[in-house]
Amino acid sequence: MRKVKWAVDYLTQSPHLVLEPQTLKGKWKDYLKVDSLHVEIGCGKGNYSLEMSNMYPDQGYVAIEKNESAAGMAVKKFDENEGNGHLALIQKDASDILSWFEIGEVDVIHLNFSDPWPKKRYAKRRLSSKSFLDQYKTILNKSGQIQMKTDNASLFEYSVLEFENNGFKMIEFSVDYRRETHNEDVLTEYEEKFVKKNQPIYRCVWEKI
C-alpha cells in the first residue's frame, strides 16, 4: 500500500506497539494477562485481531505487520478500541519470529490472505513455505494450530502440500468457507470484499504433529 504519513507518524506513539518484542520472549501471556496466545502474521489494518480479541476477551492477540502505514492504522484502531481486547502489535518482518516467541509459547497462528508471491523464485517468501513452517513448529505448543484463509487457489494448493510435508495434521478444510455462517470467526477486510463478489474463501486448519 502507499505510504500514509499520519499512520507512520502515529505508529511509534501507540502504547500497543512493542518496539523490542525480543524482551517479551516467553512472557507474552503475562504481558497481555491471558492464558491463550494467538499470533496473526500479516495483520494489515488490524481488523481481524481487534475484533477477535473483543469476541474472545480471555485470549491475547499479537498482530505482526511489516508495512508501516498499515501497522499505524492498526494500532490506532487498537488504541481507540472500547472493548476489553488484550492486544499488541509488532511492526517487523515475520522472518525473525523465533527471536520474539519462546518454544511452545503460542497456541494459534493466523495466516489471513497472505501475499501469494506467485513467481516460483519468490516461493520462500510465502508465509506457508517450509522455512516459515519450521519456525512455527518451534513456537507452537504441543497441540498448537495454524489457521489459514485465502482467496488464492494456487497459494492454497501450495500451502496444503507444504503443511502435509512438514509435520502438520489437517483438522479442517474448506474450498468455500463462507457458504455457511461462521460467527465464531471474524471476516477480514479483504474477506468482506471477496464475499460480496461471491468469490470462494479457502480455509484450512492444521495441528502440529
Side-chain angles (χ1 to χ4, degrees):
M1 63 179 295
R2 293 179 180 176
K3 183 175 181 179
V4 181
K5 189 177 185 303
W6 72 260
V8 175
D9 292 343
Y10 183 89
L11 181 61
T12 55
Q13 304 172 25
S14 172
H16 283 97
L17 177 69
V18 178
L19 286 169
E20 298 181 351
Q22 67 275 11
T23 63
L24 290 175
K25 187 174 182 176
K27 305 172 185 176
W28 285 100
K29 290 180 181 179
D30 290 337
Y31 177 73
L32 295 174
K33 298 179 175 60
V34 294
D35 295 321
S36 179
L37 182 64
H38 294 244
V39 174
E40 183 187 7
I41 303 176
C43 73
K45 298 175 185 177
N47 282 19
Y48 185 80
S49 285
L50 175 63
E51 296 302 329
M52 288 293 283
S53 69
N54 287 336
M55 187 181 295
Y56 302 101
D58 58 333
Q59 299 177 9
Y61 279 78
V62 178
I64 300 172
E65 176 55 53
K66 67 180 181 181
N67 182 279
E68 284 185 312
S69 295
M73 293 179 185
V75 289
K76 191 171 190 298
K77 292 174 184 176
F78 294 177
D79 293 346
E80 295 173 347
N81 178 41
E82 295 181 358
N84 298 312
H86 300 274
L87 291 157
L89 186 137
I90 299 172
Q91 192 271 305
K92 294 181 184 290
D93 192 299
S95 59
D96 293 325
I97 198 167
L98 284 181
S99 302
W100 312 329
F101 299 97
E102 189 56 84
I103 296 170
E105 185 175 14
V106 178
D107 296 285
V108 182
I109 291 173
H110 299 269
L111 304 177
N112 291 321
F113 301 90
S114 307
D115 191 329
W117 291 103
K119 295 182 179 180
K120 287 186 178 180
R121 67 176 180 272
Y122 294 137
K124 290 183 179 180
R125 299 185 186 183
R126 296 169 189 163
L127 292 177
S128 52
S129 66
K130 184 183 187 306
S131 60
F132 279 102
L133 294 183
D134 287 342
Q135 295 184 76
Y136 304 157
K137 280 190 292 185
T138 300
I139 64 175
L140 283 169
N141 64 30
K142 290 182 179 179
S143 58
Q145 290 185 0
I146 298 178
Q147 299 180 9
M148 177 182 180
K149 290 191 290 187
T150 181
D151 66 303
N152 190 292
S154 297
L155 177 63
F156 191 68
E157 292 171 2
Y158 167 88
S159 301
V160 168
L161 292 175
E162 289 291 285
F163 282 121
E164 286 186 345
N165 293 330
N166 289 285
F168 289 89
K169 176 179 68 175
M170 183 190 294
I171 59 176
E172 288 185 32
F173 178 89
S174 177
V175 293
D176 193 2
Y177 181 58
R178 292 298 178 182
R179 66 187 167 202
E180 298 176 355
T181 302
H182 289 279
N183 292 326
E184 77 284 359
D185 182 64
V186 173
L187 279 81
T188 72
E189 290 177 90
Y190 279 116
E191 195 171 4
E192 287 183 10
K193 294 176 182 178
F194 298 135
V195 169
K196 287 178 181 178
K197 294 178 180 178
N198 293 316
Q199 293 180 229
I201 303 300
Y202 305 94
R203 184 177 188 265
C204 55
V205 179
W206 299 82
E207 192 172 274
K208 188 172 78 169
I209 297 175

